[in-house]
Amino acid sequence: MKKIFLILLYSFSFFGLHANRNDLTIIFEKGNKAYEKEAYTQAIFLYESILQKGYENAALHYNLGNAYFRSNNYGKAILNYERSLRLNPSDKTAQMNLQIVNAKTTDKMEEIPPFLVNKWWLSFIKAFSLNTWALISLGSLLIFCLVLGYFLLSQNYTKKRMAFYTSLCIAFLFIFSIVCSGKAYSIRFADNQAIVMDAFVQAKSSPAENGTDKFVLHEGSKIIIEENLNNWAKIKLPDGNIGWIPESSFEII
């Protein structure tokens, strides 16, 4: 009786989730239609309502970024393009749109170039999404178990030897994909990158209004959060400059 109850509970949960996703799909399609009619404010409202329900994906953030861009809200556009690329790093269209809107922002900072190896490594990781890396890890583990089982059960020396070396290669692939999955996870859920939302904000030398002025940031600038103190954040810019700005002036990607 208990088993039947659990099955029924799972079934109701599944259909409830499915129904909920159907409702969100309807809202998403309404947002798309509003965008096509150039009703960008309505489209933004509909897309944001989906996010408020706790659901997100790359397409949703991408469309929301487009709607904000058409509304000349460049800070929110950049924020959502960045969030879309975290979910789908290989999306060339989102990358291109992000470059376009970044070109319209006030601050043009020269980024300190990373080491060539680091640049190549990050590009390689971002070639696939976190889900794809996880599937590669799971798939390689499954194949490893099958090949290992064949190695243990086989009586043929030649086939046994081939299975042994094949299992070693697959084990290496599994370990490598786990490392890549971990890096992709850290990129996906990093909470130390943000976008400035205020039209402009004065960076200070210390976390206080009476701190010495260091530099000014404008809407759309991407920053790295290094420390938080008393509603202030110590930030680092791509060009290496460091200062303090109010936490209310930016949103975490």
Side-chain angles (χ1 to χ4, degrees):
M1 188 69 180
K2 183 178 179 181
K3 186 176 181 180
I4 296 175
F5 173 76
L6 290 173
I7 293 173
L8 288 174
L9 181 62
Y10 175 80
S11 300
F12 287 137
S13 299
F14 173 80
F15 286 118
L17 178 62
H18 184 68
N20 185 49
R21 286 192 175 183
N22 283 341
D23 292 341
L24 296 179
T25 300
I26 293 172
I27 298 174
F28 182 70
E29 291 175 350
K30 286 182 178 179
N32 293 343
K33 290 179 180 178
Y35 180 86
E36 291 172 0
K37 295 177 180 178
E38 299 184 1
Y40 302 125
T41 301
Q42 183 184 1
I44 290 169
F45 174 80
L46 291 168
Y47 294 144
E48 290 283 9
S49 70
I50 298 175
L51 292 175
Q52 290 171 5
K53 295 179 186 297
Y55 180 80
E56 65 172 353
N57 63 22
L60 175 59
H61 281 297
Y62 173 76
N63 286 10
L64 183 55
N66 287 341
Y68 274 122
F69 177 65
R70 294 295 183 181
S71 302
N72 296 321
N73 190 332
Y74 298 144
K76 287 284 189 178
I78 291 172
L79 178 69
N80 281 280
Y81 287 142
E82 290 277 5
R83 287 175 174 174
S84 177
L85 287 169
R86 282 197 174 188
L87 293 165
N88 184 15
S90 60
D91 188 341
K92 300 298 183 183
T93 307
Q95 292 174 10
M96 180 182 67
N97 285 9
L98 179 59
Q99 290 178 357
I100 292 172
V101 69
N102 273 329
K104 294 182 175 292
T105 59
T106 302
D107 299 326
K108 303 293 188 292
M109 290 172 283
E110 291 293 331
E111 185 174 355
I112 298 175
F115 290 114
L116 183 61
V117 174
N118 289 340
K119 183 178 181 180
W120 174 86
W121 172 242
L122 286 175
S123 298
F124 181 76
I125 294 297
K126 291 180 179 181
F128 302 105
S129 67
L130 173 59
N131 289 342
T132 301
W133 281 119
L135 286 174
I136 293 173
S137 301
L138 184 61
S140 58
L141 177 61
L142 178 61
I143 296 173
F144 171 77
C145 292
L146 292 174
V147 175
L148 182 62
Y150 182 82
F151 166 77
L152 295 173
L153 297 175
S154 177
Q155 301 299 320
N156 185 290
Y157 174 77
T158 302
K159 292 181 178 179
K160 197 177 185 74
R161 185 179 179 183
M162 289 180 61
F164 174 75
Y165 287 112
T166 302
S167 65
L168 287 181
C169 293
I170 298 173
F172 173 79
L173 174 61
F174 171 69
I175 295 171
F176 179 73
S177 61
I178 285 292
V179 172
C180 292
S181 297
K183 183 62 178 178
Y185 182 89
S186 65
I187 293 173
R188 167 68 182 87
F189 294 102
D191 60 356
N192 67 333
Q193 295 183 338
I195 304 298
V196 174
M197 291 292 117
D198 287 357
F200 66 90
V201 58
Q202 180 70 60
K204 302 286 186 176
S205 60
S206 59
E209 287 290 348
N210 59 359
T212 304
D213 295 344
K214 294 197 67 178
F215 51 85
V216 176
L217 291 174
H218 298 85
E219 179 185 3
S221 295
K222 188 175 183 179
I223 56 178
I224 298 173
I225 311 300
E226 294 201 327
E227 183 182 347
N228 296 86
L229 181 65
N230 299 329
N231 298 321
W232 286 78
K234 183 181 180 181
I235 65 163
K236 183 177 182 180
L237 303 184
D239 59 8
N241 281 328
I242 294 176
W244 290 84
I245 63 174
E247 293 179 342
S248 59
S249 62
F250 60 81
E251 283 192 43
I252 299 295
I253 296 175

